[in-house]
Amino acid sequence: MTTREIISAQVTKAILDLAIAGKLQKGDQLVIGCSTSEIAGGKIGKASAPEIGEWVAGAVIRACEAKGLIPIFQCCEHLNRSLVMPLSAAKALGYTRVHAIPQPKAGGSVPAAAWKLMEDPCLVMQVQADAGIDIGDTLIGMHLRPVAVPFRGEIAQVGCAHVTAAYSRLPYIGGERAVYQEKQ
């Protein structure tokens, strides 16, 4: 297998495993944070790799399409951790849009590639996603809805980058006498 195929397969597997563990449903939002520098074995923010960004963004978009999920890509701190997502979804969810176009060194290689690969992308200020995958310790927690449940799947690394994932659940309230729905 080529490096592209390996990375794409790792990303796809991580998404599919998380979708099962988190019982994600059609229309749920999946946020991805990714450092291509870390995937390539470098230090986050120091060696952006646009080619790897295309591989990752493409794999995420394809896996999300297969599961009916909304793909959302977190930018780096240079764009205040704003997010690339489909315009139709941003409008439907009422997210606040912002004005910028991510670039490999101002936003990150993955969001820049997602911008090019998506049919009608936009940039939003923040989201409350149902689940997320963080490739390379980019800190996506601010974009997950409470309560985030850590998930350790089979994919612990993509390339050289550490992978962390979480899905969210509804908060439990009411104490020991409360009765909860099975489906969240």
Side-chain angles (χ1 to χ4, degrees):
M1 287 179 83
T2 66
T3 303
R4 176 186 189 147
E5 291 169 333
I6 292 168
I7 289 172
S8 294
Q10 290 171 329
V11 170
T12 300
K13 174 82 169 130
I15 291 170
L16 298 179
D17 287 351
L18 178 60
I20 292 167
K23 299 177 183 155
L24 300 182
Q25 301 174 4
K26 185 176 181 181
D28 282 350
Q29 303 164 66
L30 177 71
V31 66
I32 302 291
C34 183
S35 167
T36 58
S37 301
E38 292 277 332
I39 289 174
K43 186 176 178 185
I44 191 169
K46 301 298 181 194
S48 191
E51 183 176 65
I52 294 173
E54 290 175 17
W55 303 343
V56 172
V60 170
I61 291 169
R62 287 187 300 277
C64 285
E65 283 176 356
K67 296 302 271 180
L69 304 175
I70 300 169
I72 303 172
F73 299 86
Q74 178 184 268
C75 294
C76 71
E77 75 278 6
H78 295 101
L79 291 184
N80 299 319
R81 304 257 186 246
S82 57
L83 304 110
V84 175
M85 68 183 297
L87 177 61
S88 59
K91 285 183 174 181
L93 293 163
Y95 288 146
T96 302
R97 292 172 33 214
V98 294
H99 194 64
I101 298 173
Q103 305 298 311
K105 294 194 181 279
S109 289
V110 175
W115 186 274
K116 290 177 183 174
L117 293 172
M118 282 185 180
E119 192 171 308
D120 196 11
C122 73
L123 204 60
V124 299
M125 187 178 297
Q126 62 186 21
V127 300
Q128 288 284 290
D130 300 287
I133 298 177
D134 186 329
I135 303 168
D137 302 318
T138 64
L139 303 177
I140 61 165
M142 68 181 78
H143 296 301
L144 294 175
R145 70 178 174 94
V147 172
V149 178
F151 171 69
R152 297 265 188 253
E154 286 184 40
I155 303 298
Q157 283 186 251
V158 171
C160 295
H162 176 248
V163 173
T164 304
Y167 56 87
S168 61
R169 65 161 176 78
L170 296 175
Y172 295 130
I173 61 168
E176 65 186 35
R177 291 186 271 175
V179 176
Y180 301 108
Q181 295 175 306
E182 286 274 329
K183 187 176 178 183
Q184 293 189 30

